[in-house]
Amino acid sequence: MKKTVILGALTVAGIAAGAASGATLDDVKARGKLNCGVSTGLVGFAAPDANGEWQGFDVGVCRAVAAAVLGDPMAVEFVPTTGQTRFTALASGEVDLLARNTTWTFSRDVDLKFEFVGVNYYDGQGFMVPKELGVSSAKELDGATVCIQTGTTTELNLADFFRTNNLSYEPVPIETNAEAQQQFLAGACDVYTTDASGLAATRATFENPGDFVVLPEIISKEPLGPLVRHGDNDWGDIARWTLNALISAEELGITSANVAELAAAPTNNPEINRILGTEGELGGMLGLDKDWAKRAIMAGGNYGELFEKNIGENTPIGLSRGLNAQWTDGGLLYSPPFR
């Protein structure tokens, strides 16, 4: 088993080394669209709507990058990936950017040769059980059957938690969130474990969400963010600073409603001017025009707008900002300076 994992990692790393040698920005411009890797379907984060159009918080990152680079937030080909297939899709060049609830870890950064360009959601792993199971803590799950997505940090965290607490469990391996939901509702497992945001998104799709409870334990740190291949720093800079533009826009009060007005002429705030291209040459440093960030913000709004529209407290997902609040509001969220 260990040999298989090591060989798999080496294979991905080898593919990545080859694919990264090309200039991704040139490829995306020549193609006229951004190939963006997303989940196979997690409502609120990335899932097709009734018309087959992809919607969600992670989808918003893809559209912002497409708007910045190509001038069109709709110029995106969404490529559904599982926990098992996502890294090969990025390493091989099938996708230009991976934006799907992926945790930034040492081995993914260093061994698999990927570059995480930031964190767009600070999360942690939790547990969901049927209310009728009658448990109030994950430490009461000794002997439980657990639905777990393979090829994820969730799988490893689960083993660590049960080992640390001297508990036993029986894993029920699944590939996608849809499969996990089906198995969990059918009673094939007592517990479903994944990132707490994913549990909230999944429960929101249930016919009777009140019949299920998310236990209080958060057993890990899961900084989720978009990633690119090592070796193409220019493309990594574009993805990183597009995300930072969305984060800074919220802090500075730049919204989808006022961005055009703020970009029409310099304001009395130099950082707003630098972001929106009325002062300085930040766009040129990225190989883009001066309006790149303006377009990214117009695509779906600033970070706060994307959050509230897709996963916030007034949506079926119902997530509070928590750690994902701006640093000025006690959260972890802030961007390096635009200067």
Side-chain angles (χ1 to χ4, degrees):
M1 185 63 173
K2 288 182 180 177
K3 288 182 179 178
T4 302
V5 171
I6 291 169
L7 288 173
L10 290 173
T11 299
V12 170
I15 294 173
S21 60
T24 307
L25 176 60
D26 293 340
D27 293 342
V28 171
K29 285 183 173 180
R31 192 190 306 128
K33 67 180 178 182
L34 170 72
N35 292 335
C36 203
V38 291
S39 71
T40 54
L42 184 62
V43 173
F45 286 87
D49 62 16
N51 298 317
E53 186 172 306
W54 284 84
Q55 304 284 353
F57 185 65
D58 291 331
V59 165
V61 173
C62 300
R63 294 203 187 281
V65 173
V69 173
L70 299 170
D72 182 2
M74 302 306 290
V76 185
E77 180 74 26
F78 292 99
V79 181
T81 63
T82 69
Q84 296 277 33
T85 65
R86 56 186 163 173
F87 297 130
T88 302
L90 178 60
S92 67
E94 181 184 357
V95 300
D96 309 303
L97 175 71
L98 191 60
R100 48 111 41 229
N101 56 313
T102 296
T103 304
W104 187 348
T105 71
F106 182 100
S107 60
R108 290 171 177 177
D109 191 320
V110 177
D111 190 36
L112 296 188
K113 307 301 181 188
F114 295 130
E115 182 175 354
F116 285 78
V117 299
V119 177
N120 73 326
Y121 194 92
Y122 291 94
D123 211 344
Q125 184 174 333
F127 299 90
M128 180 166 59
V129 298
K131 188 175 290 185
E132 65 180 17
L133 197 62
V135 301
S136 58
S137 168
K139 293 182 180 179
E140 300 171 23
L141 295 175
D142 192 25
T145 53
V146 184
C147 279
I148 181 76
Q149 291 190 52
T150 54
T152 63
T153 57
T154 311
E155 187 177 19
L156 304 176
N157 295 334
L158 177 69
D160 287 350
F161 176 78
F162 273 76
R163 178 182 174 185
T164 299
N165 289 281
N166 198 29
L167 303 174
S168 65
Y169 70 99
E170 181 182 340
V172 179
I174 47 93
E175 285 252 358
T176 66
N177 187 65
E179 183 185 352
Q181 178 176 323
Q182 181 182 31
Q183 295 282 70
F184 181 59
L185 291 176
C189 52
D190 304 312
V191 186
Y192 180 33
T193 183
T194 189
D195 298 334
S197 63
L199 295 178
T202 300
R203 186 173 64 169
T205 67
F206 291 171
E207 186 175 348
N208 298 300
D211 291 345
F212 303 88
V213 60
V214 176
L215 300 177
E217 287 85 359
I218 297 295
I219 67 168
S220 68
K221 294 180 294 185
E222 304 293 330
L224 309 178
L227 55 153
V228 298
R229 292 177 290 274
H230 268 191
D232 195 344
N233 294 348
D234 292 343
W235 178 247
D237 286 343
I238 289 170
R240 176 180 300 105
W241 286 99
T242 298
L243 175 59
N244 286 336
L246 302 183
I247 293 170
S248 282
E250 181 185 19
E251 180 184 345
L252 295 168
I254 308 170
T255 70
S256 56
N258 68 16
V259 64
E261 179 183 352
L262 291 173
T267 71
N268 61 3
N269 186 316
E271 187 151 29
I272 290 177
N273 298 340
R274 288 191 291 266
I275 291 173
L276 298 183
T278 57
E279 184 176 318
E281 299 292 337
L282 299 189
M285 295 179 193
L286 288 172
L288 303 176
D289 64 18
K290 68 181 182 64
D291 290 327
W292 68 278
K294 170 188 170 183
R295 292 193 300 269
I297 296 163
M298 290 182 70
N302 63 35
Y303 180 95
E305 290 178 278
L306 284 173
F307 192 104
E308 293 308 317
K309 174 186 176 182
N310 293 291
I311 57 177
E313 291 182 308
N314 294 320
T315 69
I317 314 303
L319 295 173
S320 63
R321 288 293 292 266
L323 295 177
N324 297 290
Q326 288 280 341
W327 69 283
T328 49
D329 296 323
L332 297 179
L333 203 69
Y334 75 83
S335 162
F338 279 79
R339 63 166 61 254

mmCIF file of all heavy atoms in Angstrom, residues 241-242 244-252 254 259 262-263 269-283 286 289-297 335-339:
data_model
loop_
_atom_site.group_PDB
_atom_site.id
_atom_site.type_symbol
_atom_site.label_atom_id
_atom_site.label_comp_id
_atom_site.label_asym_id
_atom_site.label_seq_id
_atom_site.Cartn_x
_atom_site.Cartn_y
_atom_site.Cartn_z
ATOM 1 N N TRP A 241 -2.878 36.761 -7.324
ATOM 2 C CA TRP A 241 -3.267 38.148 -7.134
ATOM 3 C C TRP A 241 -4.702 38.418 -7.563
ATOM 4 O O TRP A 241 -5.310 39.411 -7.133
ATOM 5 C CB TRP A 241 -2.261 39.074 -7.797
ATOM 6 C CG TRP A 241 -1.009 39.096 -6.966
ATOM 7 C CD1 TRP A 241 0.138 38.388 -7.175
ATOM 8 C CD2 TRP A 241 -0.826 39.804 -5.745
ATOM 9 N NE1 TRP A 241 1.029 38.610 -6.153
ATOM 10 C CE2 TRP A 241 0.473 39.474 -5.259
ATOM 11 C CE3 TRP A 241 -1.612 40.679 -4.999
ATOM 12 C CZ2 TRP A 241 0.973 40.007 -4.074
ATOM 13 C CZ3 TRP A 241 -1.112 41.212 -3.819
ATOM 14 C CH2 TRP A 241 0.165 40.874 -3.370
ATOM 15 N N THR A 242 -5.273 37.532 -8.375
ATOM 16 C CA THR A 242 -6.715 37.632 -8.638
ATOM 17 C C THR A 242 -7.485 37.318 -7.364
ATOM 18 O O THR A 242 -8.424 38.037 -6.992
ATOM 19 C CB THR A 242 -7.135 36.694 -9.774
ATOM 20 O OG1 THR A 242 -6.459 37.062 -10.984
ATOM 21 C CG2 THR A 242 -8.638 36.766 -10.018
ATOM 22 N N ASN A 244 -6.294 37.577 -4.334
ATOM 23 C CA ASN A 244 -6.014 38.678 -3.414
ATOM 24 C C ASN A 244 -6.834 39.921 -3.745
ATOM 25 O O ASN A 244 -7.233 40.674 -2.845
ATOM 26 C CB ASN A 244 -4.526 39.028 -3.445
ATOM 27 C CG ASN A 244 -3.668 38.001 -2.720
ATOM 28 O OD1 ASN A 244 -4.153 37.289 -1.846
ATOM 29 N ND2 ASN A 244 -2.401 37.922 -3.087
ATOM 30 N N ALA A 245 -7.091 40.146 -5.021
ATOM 31 C CA ALA A 245 -7.900 41.308 -5.418
ATOM 32 C C ALA A 245 -9.316 41.184 -4.875
ATOM 33 O O ALA A 245 -9.910 42.178 -4.428
ATOM 34 C CB ALA A 245 -7.920 41.441 -6.937
ATOM 35 N N LEU A 246 -9.862 39.973 -4.902
ATOM 36 C CA LEU A 246 -11.216 39.761 -4.372
ATOM 37 C C LEU A 246 -11.249 39.991 -2.860
ATOM 38 O O LEU A 246 -12.209 40.563 -2.329
ATOM 39 C CB LEU A 246 -11.697 38.348 -4.695
ATOM 40 C CG LEU A 246 -11.736 37.938 -6.169
ATOM 41 C CD1 LEU A 246 -12.299 36.526 -6.315
ATOM 42 C CD2 LEU A 246 -12.550 38.925 -6.996
ATOM 43 N N ILE A 247 -10.201 39.527 -2.185
ATOM 44 C CA ILE A 247 -10.126 39.686 -0.729
ATOM 45 C C ILE A 247 -9.939 41.158 -0.354
ATOM 46 O O ILE A 247 -10.642 41.693 0.508
ATOM 47 C CB ILE A 247 -8.991 38.818 -0.164
ATOM 48 C CG1 ILE A 247 -9.322 37.330 -0.335
ATOM 49 C CG2 ILE A 247 -8.737 39.145 1.312
ATOM 50 C CD1 ILE A 247 -8.163 36.394 -0.038
ATOM 51 N N SER A 248 -8.996 41.831 -1.010
ATOM 52 C CA SER A 248 -8.753 43.245 -0.729
ATOM 53 C C SER A 248 -9.958 44.106 -1.092
ATOM 54 O O SER A 248 -10.251 45.099 -0.407
ATOM 55 C CB SER A 248 -7.521 43.740 -1.492
ATOM 56 O OG SER A 248 -6.331 43.338 -0.860
ATOM 57 N N ALA A 249 -10.642 43.745 -2.155
ATOM 58 C CA ALA A 249 -11.811 44.529 -2.574
ATOM 59 C C ALA A 249 -12.846 44.593 -1.461
ATOM 60 O O ALA A 249 -13.415 45.665 -1.189
ATOM 61 C CB ALA A 249 -12.418 43.929 -3.839
ATOM 62 N N GLU A 250 -13.079 43.457 -0.793
ATOM 63 C CA GLU A 250 -14.043 43.489 0.308
ATOM 64 C C GLU A 250 -13.567 44.425 1.412
ATOM 65 O O GLU A 250 -14.333 45.251 1.925
ATOM 66 C CB GLU A 250 -14.273 42.085 0.875
ATOM 67 C CG GLU A 250 -15.288 42.116 2.011
ATOM 68 C CD GLU A 250 -15.480 40.802 2.713
ATOM 69 O OE1 GLU A 250 -14.614 39.906 2.602
ATOM 70 O OE2 GLU A 250 -16.510 40.655 3.413
ATOM 71 N N GLU A 251 -12.300 44.297 1.793
ATOM 72 C CA GLU A 251 -11.769 45.141 2.870
ATOM 73 C C GLU A 251 -11.871 46.626 2.533
ATOM 74 O O GLU A 251 -12.163 47.464 3.407
ATOM 75 C CB GLU A 251 -10.309 44.772 3.139
ATOM 76 C CG GLU A 251 -9.670 45.607 4.237
ATOM 77 C CD GLU A 251 -8.189 45.317 4.438
ATOM 78 O OE1 GLU A 251 -7.699 44.282 3.940
ATOM 79 O OE2 GLU A 251 -7.519 46.135 5.090
ATOM 80 N N LEU A 252 -11.659 46.956 1.258
ATOM 81 C CA LEU A 252 -11.613 48.358 0.837
ATOM 82 C C LEU A 252 -12.972 48.893 0.397
ATOM 83 O O LEU A 252 -13.082 50.066 0.017
ATOM 84 C CB LEU A 252 -10.603 48.513 -0.309
ATOM 85 C CG LEU A 252 -9.143 48.227 0.066
ATOM 86 C CD1 LEU A 252 -8.290 48.115 -1.186
ATOM 87 C CD2 LEU A 252 -8.606 49.305 0.995
ATOM 88 N N ILE A 254 -14.764 47.844 -2.226
ATOM 89 C CA ILE A 254 -14.995 47.761 -3.674
ATOM 90 C C ILE A 254 -15.949 46.603 -3.938
ATOM 91 O O ILE A 254 -15.676 45.469 -3.546
ATOM 92 C CB ILE A 254 -13.678 47.518 -4.433
ATOM 93 C CG1 ILE A 254 -12.603 48.520 -4.048
ATOM 94 C CG2 ILE A 254 -13.927 47.542 -5.941
ATOM 95 C CD1 ILE A 254 -11.211 48.175 -4.584
ATOM 96 N N VAL A 259 -17.620 49.111 -8.541
ATOM 97 C CA VAL A 259 -16.262 49.007 -9.071
ATOM 98 C C VAL A 259 -16.070 49.833 -10.344
ATOM 99 O O VAL A 259 -15.021 50.465 -10.542
ATOM 100 C CB VAL A 259 -15.865 47.523 -9.306
ATOM 101 C CG1 VAL A 259 -16.743 46.866 -10.362
ATOM 102 C CG2 VAL A 259 -14.393 47.407 -9.681
ATOM 103 N N LEU A 262 -15.648 53.458 -9.288
ATOM 104 C CA LEU A 262 -14.357 53.686 -8.630
ATOM 105 C C LEU A 262 -13.197 53.628 -9.621
ATOM 106 O O LEU A 262 -12.159 54.254 -9.409
ATOM 107 C CB LEU A 262 -14.143 52.653 -7.519
ATOM 108 C CG LEU A 262 -15.053 52.773 -6.293
ATOM 109 C CD1 LEU A 262 -14.843 51.591 -5.345
ATOM 110 C CD2 LEU A 262 -14.799 54.093 -5.560
ATOM 111 N N ALA A 263 -13.363 52.847 -10.689
ATOM 112 C CA ALA A 263 -12.298 52.702 -11.686
ATOM 113 C C ALA A 263 -12.324 53.799 -12.743
ATOM 114 O O ALA A 263 -11.410 53.900 -13.560
ATOM 115 C CB ALA A 263 -12.404 51.337 -12.369
ATOM 116 N N ASN A 269 -7.946 57.052 -2.208
ATOM 117 C CA ASN A 269 -7.305 55.887 -1.592
ATOM 118 C C ASN A 269 -6.316 55.284 -2.591
ATOM 119 O O ASN A 269 -6.729 54.665 -3.578
ATOM 120 C CB ASN A 269 -8.345 54.853 -1.171
ATOM 121 C CG ASN A 269 -7.733 53.694 -0.387
ATOM 122 O OD1 ASN A 269 -6.688 53.171 -0.753
ATOM 123 N ND2 ASN A 269 -8.402 53.287 0.685
ATOM 124 N N PRO A 270 -5.012 55.431 -2.377
ATOM 125 C CA PRO A 270 -4.019 54.951 -3.351
ATOM 126 C C PRO A 270 -4.107 53.452 -3.613
ATOM 127 O O PRO A 270 -3.848 53.015 -4.743
ATOM 128 C CB PRO A 270 -2.682 55.321 -2.704
ATOM 129 C CG PRO A 270 -2.997 56.434 -1.769
ATOM 130 C CD PRO A 270 -4.373 56.146 -1.254
ATOM 131 N N GLU A 271 -4.448 52.633 -2.597
ATOM 132 C CA GLU A 271 -4.493 51.185 -2.834
ATOM 133 C C GLU A 271 -5.654 50.815 -3.740
ATOM 134 O O GLU A 271 -5.524 49.951 -4.613
ATOM 135 C CB GLU A 271 -4.558 50.406 -1.524
ATOM 136 C CG GLU A 271 -4.442 48.899 -1.755
ATOM 137 C CD GLU A 271 -3.820 48.136 -0.608
ATOM 138 O OE1 GLU A 271 -3.953 48.580 0.538
ATOM 139 O OE2 GLU A 271 -3.201 47.084 -0.872
ATOM 140 N N ILE A 272 -6.804 51.465 -3.564
ATOM 141 C CA ILE A 272 -7.920 51.239 -4.486
ATOM 142 C C ILE A 272 -7.484 51.602 -5.905
ATOM 143 O O ILE A 272 -7.754 50.867 -6.862
ATOM 144 C CB ILE A 272 -9.148 52.071 -4.071
ATOM 145 C CG1 ILE A 272 -9.755 51.520 -2.775
ATOM 146 C CG2 ILE A 272 -10.201 52.078 -5.188
ATOM 147 C CD1 ILE A 272 -10.937 52.321 -2.255
ATOM 148 N N ASN A 273 -6.785 52.716 -6.038
ATOM 149 C CA ASN A 273 -6.333 53.150 -7.367
ATOM 150 C C ASN A 273 -5.380 52.140 -7.990
ATOM 151 O O ASN A 273 -5.464 51.847 -9.192
ATOM 152 C CB ASN A 273 -5.637 54.514 -7.268
ATOM 153 C CG ASN A 273 -6.572 55.602 -6.758
ATOM 154 O OD1 ASN A 273 -7.795 55.458 -6.832
ATOM 155 N ND2 ASN A 273 -6.010 56.675 -6.226
ATOM 156 N N ARG A 274 -4.460 51.617 -7.181
ATOM 157 C CA ARG A 274 -3.500 50.648 -7.720
ATOM 158 C C ARG A 274 -4.208 49.367 -8.153
ATOM 159 O O ARG A 274 -3.878 48.788 -9.196
ATOM 160 C CB ARG A 274 -2.422 50.350 -6.672
ATOM 161 C CG ARG A 274 -1.447 51.495 -6.460
ATOM 162 C CD ARG A 274 -0.251 51.085 -5.629
ATOM 163 N NE ARG A 274 -0.593 50.822 -4.239
ATOM 164 C CZ ARG A 274 -0.518 51.714 -3.261
ATOM 165 N NH1 ARG A 274 -0.136 52.966 -3.527
ATOM 166 N NH2 ARG A 274 -0.822 51.386 -2.018
ATOM 167 N N ILE A 275 -5.157 48.895 -7.360
ATOM 168 C CA ILE A 275 -5.891 47.674 -7.713
ATOM 169 C C ILE A 275 -6.686 47.877 -8.999
ATOM 170 O O ILE A 275 -6.693 47.003 -9.886
ATOM 171 C CB ILE A 275 -6.832 47.251 -6.566
ATOM 172 C CG1 ILE A 275 -6.021 46.761 -5.359
ATOM 173 C CG2 ILE A 275 -7.793 46.150 -7.023
ATOM 174 C CD1 ILE A 275 -6.870 46.495 -4.124
ATOM 175 N N LEU A 276 -7.326 49.024 -9.117
ATOM 176 C CA LEU A 276 -8.222 49.254 -10.251
ATOM 177 C C LEU A 276 -7.532 49.894 -11.452
ATOM 178 O O LEU A 276 -8.180 50.182 -12.462
ATOM 179 C CB LEU A 276 -9.416 50.102 -9.810
ATOM 180 C CG LEU A 276 -10.299 49.457 -8.731
ATOM 181 C CD1 LEU A 276 -11.494 50.340 -8.413
ATOM 182 C CD2 LEU A 276 -10.764 48.059 -9.163
ATOM 183 N N GLY A 277 -6.215 50.109 -11.358
ATOM 184 C CA GLY A 277 -5.447 50.513 -12.531
ATOM 185 C C GLY A 277 -5.455 51.978 -12.863
ATOM 186 O O GLY A 277 -5.002 52.364 -13.948
ATOM 187 N N THR A 278 -5.968 52.822 -11.948
ATOM 188 C CA THR A 278 -5.921 54.258 -12.222
ATOM 189 C C THR A 278 -4.635 54.883 -11.705
ATOM 190 O O THR A 278 -4.415 56.089 -11.875
ATOM 191 C CB THR A 278 -7.130 54.978 -11.582
ATOM 192 O OG1 THR A 278 -7.141 54.722 -10.168
ATOM 193 C CG2 THR A 278 -8.427 54.482 -12.203
ATOM 194 N N GLU A 279 -3.800 54.082 -11.091
ATOM 195 C CA GLU A 279 -2.512 54.551 -10.574
ATOM 196 C C GLU A 279 -1.533 53.378 -10.609
ATOM 197 O O GLU A 279 -1.886 52.262 -10.256
ATOM 198 C CB GLU A 279 -2.695 55.049 -9.142
ATOM 199 C CG GLU A 279 -1.463 55.664 -8.505
ATOM 200 C CD GLU A 279 -1.766 56.225 -7.119
ATOM 201 O OE1 GLU A 279 -2.837 56.856 -6.960
ATOM 202 O OE2 GLU A 279 -0.943 56.027 -6.199
ATOM 203 N N GLY A 280 -0.309 53.619 -11.052
ATOM 204 C CA GLY A 280 0.686 52.559 -11.092
ATOM 205 C C GLY A 280 0.530 51.646 -12.293
ATOM 206 O O GLY A 280 -0.313 51.869 -13.176
ATOM 207 N N GLU A 281 1.352 50.573 -12.316
ATOM 208 C CA GLU A 281 1.394 49.660 -13.461
ATOM 209 C C GLU A 281 1.325 48.204 -13.012
ATOM 210 O O GLU A 281 2.046 47.346 -13.523
ATOM 211 C CB GLU A 281 2.686 49.885 -14.255
ATOM 212 C CG GLU A 281 2.841 51.278 -14.833
ATOM 213 C CD GLU A 281 1.831 51.566 -15.938
ATOM 214 O OE1 GLU A 281 1.333 50.589 -16.549
ATOM 215 O OE2 GLU A 281 1.538 52.751 -16.181
ATOM 216 N N LEU A 282 0.463 47.881 -12.045
ATOM 217 C CA LEU A 282 0.423 46.517 -11.530
ATOM 218 C C LEU A 282 -0.045 45.515 -12.583
ATOM 219 O O LEU A 282 0.457 44.388 -12.639
ATOM 220 C CB LEU A 282 -0.487 46.437 -10.298
ATOM 221 C CG LEU A 282 -0.086 47.295 -9.082
ATOM 222 C CD1 LEU A 282 -0.949 46.945 -7.880
ATOM 223 C CD2 LEU A 282 1.392 47.114 -8.759
ATOM 224 N N GLY A 283 -0.987 45.909 -13.424
ATOM 225 C CA GLY A 283 -1.459 45.002 -14.467
ATOM 226 C C GLY A 283 -0.347 44.589 -15.400
ATOM 227 O O GLY A 283 -0.200 43.412 -15.734
ATOM 228 N N LEU A 286 1.913 41.835 -14.351
ATOM 229 C CA LEU A 286 1.336 40.486 -14.497
ATOM 230 C C LEU A 286 1.236 40.058 -15.956
ATOM 231 O O LEU A 286 0.845 38.917 -16.230
ATOM 232 C CB LEU A 286 -0.065 40.441 -13.881
ATOM 233 C CG LEU A 286 -0.167 40.482 -12.353
ATOM 234 C CD1 LEU A 286 -1.630 40.626 -11.940
ATOM 235 C CD2 LEU A 286 0.424 39.218 -11.740
ATOM 236 N N ASP A 289 -3.665 43.822 -18.715
ATOM 237 C CA ASP A 289 -3.928 45.254 -18.842
ATOM 238 C C ASP A 289 -4.317 45.845 -17.491
ATOM 239 O O ASP A 289 -4.389 45.149 -16.480
ATOM 240 C CB ASP A 289 -4.996 45.512 -19.913
ATOM 241 C CG ASP A 289 -6.353 44.911 -19.546
ATOM 242 O OD1 ASP A 289 -6.587 44.597 -18.350
ATOM 243 O OD2 ASP A 289 -7.196 44.764 -20.443
ATOM 244 N N LYS A 290 -4.586 47.136 -17.452
ATOM 245 C CA LYS A 290 -4.828 47.820 -16.184
ATOM 246 C C LYS A 290 -6.177 47.469 -15.559
ATOM 247 O O LYS A 290 -6.381 47.686 -14.364
ATOM 248 C CB LYS A 290 -4.731 49.337 -16.384
ATOM 249 C CG LYS A 290 -5.834 49.956 -17.224
ATOM 250 C CD LYS A 290 -5.630 51.455 -17.390
ATOM 251 C CE LYS A 290 -6.748 52.109 -18.200
ATOM 252 N NZ LYS A 290 -8.057 52.022 -17.522
ATOM 253 N N ASP A 291 -7.086 46.930 -16.348
ATOM 254 C CA ASP A 291 -8.439 46.653 -15.861
ATOM 255 C C ASP A 291 -8.636 45.213 -15.385
ATOM 256 O O ASP A 291 -9.758 44.785 -15.138
ATOM 257 C CB ASP A 291 -9.473 46.953 -16.950
ATOM 258 C CG ASP A 291 -9.596 48.443 -17.221
ATOM 259 O OD1 ASP A 291 -9.431 49.234 -16.271
ATOM 260 O OD2 ASP A 291 -9.860 48.804 -18.380
ATOM 261 N N TRP A 292 -7.565 44.442 -15.262
ATOM 262 C CA TRP A 292 -7.693 43.020 -14.914
ATOM 263 C C TRP A 292 -8.454 42.802 -13.609
ATOM 264 O O TRP A 292 -9.346 41.951 -13.544
ATOM 265 C CB TRP A 292 -6.297 42.382 -14.827
ATOM 266 C CG TRP A 292 -5.487 42.899 -13.671
ATOM 267 C CD1 TRP A 292 -4.771 44.053 -13.633
ATOM 268 C CD2 TRP A 292 -5.342 42.303 -12.382
ATOM 269 N NE1 TRP A 292 -4.175 44.213 -12.398
ATOM 270 C CE2 TRP A 292 -4.506 43.162 -11.615
ATOM 271 C CE3 TRP A 292 -5.813 41.133 -11.808
ATOM 272 C CZ2 TRP A 292 -4.155 42.868 -10.292
ATOM 273 C CZ3 TRP A 292 -5.457 40.833 -10.497
ATOM 274 C CH2 TRP A 292 -4.641 41.700 -9.744
ATOM 275 N N ALA A 293 -8.123 43.549 -12.570
ATOM 276 C CA ALA A 293 -8.768 43.354 -11.273
ATOM 277 C C ALA A 293 -10.204 43.871 -11.294
ATOM 278 O O ALA A 293 -11.096 43.281 -10.656
ATOM 279 C CB ALA A 293 -7.968 44.036 -10.175
ATOM 280 N N LYS A 294 -10.432 44.955 -12.002
ATOM 281 C CA LYS A 294 -11.801 45.469 -12.147
ATOM 282 C C LYS A 294 -12.695 44.385 -12.731
ATOM 283 O O LYS A 294 -13.799 44.128 -12.226
ATOM 284 C CB LYS A 294 -11.785 46.698 -13.057
ATOM 285 C CG LYS A 294 -13.173 47.178 -13.471
ATOM 286 C CD LYS A 294 -13.063 48.275 -14.527
ATOM 287 C CE LYS A 294 -14.417 48.595 -15.144
ATOM 288 N NZ LYS A 294 -14.324 49.616 -16.220
ATOM 289 N N ARG A 295 -12.227 43.722 -13.779
ATOM 290 C CA ARG A 295 -13.034 42.664 -14.400
ATOM 291 C C ARG A 295 -13.243 41.487 -13.452
ATOM 292 O O ARG A 295 -14.320 40.885 -13.411
ATOM 293 C CB ARG A 295 -12.366 42.196 -15.701
ATOM 294 C CG ARG A 295 -12.364 43.232 -16.800
ATOM 295 C CD ARG A 295 -11.979 42.603 -18.135
ATOM 296 N NE ARG A 295 -10.641 42.013 -18.094
ATOM 297 C CZ ARG A 295 -9.526 42.652 -18.421
ATOM 298 N NH1 ARG A 295 -9.572 43.917 -18.791
ATOM 299 N NH2 ARG A 295 -8.352 42.032 -18.375
ATOM 300 N N ALA A 296 -12.191 41.135 -12.699
ATOM 301 C CA ALA A 296 -12.299 40.011 -11.764
ATOM 302 C C ALA A 296 -13.366 40.289 -10.714
ATOM 303 O O ALA A 296 -14.153 39.403 -10.354
ATOM 304 C CB ALA A 296 -10.946 39.751 -11.104
ATOM 305 N N ILE A 297 -13.411 41.525 -10.215
ATOM 306 C CA ILE A 297 -14.387 41.882 -9.187
ATOM 307 C C ILE A 297 -15.786 41.959 -9.788
ATOM 308 O O ILE A 297 -16.777 41.535 -9.158
ATOM 309 C CB ILE A 297 -13.986 43.219 -8.530
ATOM 310 C CG1 ILE A 297 -12.646 43.054 -7.799
ATOM 311 C CG2 ILE A 297 -15.065 43.702 -7.566
ATOM 312 C CD1 ILE A 297 -11.954 44.370 -7.481
ATOM 313 N N SER A 335 -5.193 40.166 2.506
ATOM 314 C CA SER A 335 -4.303 40.061 1.351
ATOM 315 C C SER A 335 -3.020 40.829 1.621
ATOM 316 O O SER A 335 -3.022 41.846 2.310
ATOM 317 C CB SER A 335 -4.991 40.662 0.115
ATOM 318 O OG SER A 335 -4.052 40.956 -0.910
ATOM 319 N N PRO A 336 -1.896 40.363 1.070
ATOM 320 C CA PRO A 336 -0.698 41.217 1.076
ATOM 321 C C PRO A 336 -1.016 42.527 0.350
ATOM 322 O O PRO A 336 -1.946 42.614 -0.451
ATOM 323 C CB PRO A 336 0.329 40.384 0.300
ATOM 324 C CG PRO A 336 -0.171 38.980 0.393
ATOM 325 C CD PRO A 336 -1.655 39.062 0.414
ATOM 326 N N PRO A 337 -0.218 43.553 0.620
ATOM 327 C CA PRO A 337 -0.503 44.881 0.026
ATOM 328 C C PRO A 337 -0.356 44.899 -1.500
ATOM 329 O O PRO A 337 0.511 44.239 -2.075
ATOM 330 C CB PRO A 337 0.535 45.802 0.676
ATOM 331 C CG PRO A 337 1.010 45.064 1.896
ATOM 332 C CD PRO A 337 0.911 43.615 1.556
ATOM 333 N N PHE A 338 -1.199 45.702 -2.119
ATOM 334 C CA PHE A 338 -1.077 45.997 -3.562
ATOM 335 C C PHE A 338 -0.229 47.253 -3.686
ATOM 336 O O PHE A 338 -0.718 48.375 -3.651
ATOM 337 C CB PHE A 338 -2.455 46.208 -4.180
ATOM 338 C CG PHE A 338 -3.181 44.934 -4.512
ATOM 339 C CD1 PHE A 338 -3.821 44.220 -3.508
ATOM 340 C CD2 PHE A 338 -3.219 44.441 -5.809
ATOM 341 C CE1 PHE A 338 -4.489 43.029 -3.791
ATOM 342 C CE2 PHE A 338 -3.887 43.264 -6.103
ATOM 343 C CZ PHE A 338 -4.522 42.553 -5.090
ATOM 344 N N ARG A 339 1.053 47.059 -3.806
ATOM 345 C CA ARG A 339 1.949 48.210 -3.995
ATOM 346 C C ARG A 339 3.237 47.761 -4.662
ATOM 347 O O ARG A 339 3.559 46.601 -4.655
ATOM 348 C CB ARG A 339 2.241 48.921 -2.700
ATOM 349 C CG ARG A 339 2.970 48.137 -1.635
ATOM 350 C CD ARG A 339 3.503 49.065 -0.540
ATOM 351 N NE ARG A 339 2.477 49.810 0.169
ATOM 352 C CZ ARG A 339 2.248 51.118 -0.003
ATOM 353 N NH1 ARG A 339 2.952 51.807 -0.887
ATOM 354 N NH2 ARG A 339 1.324 51.743 0.677
#
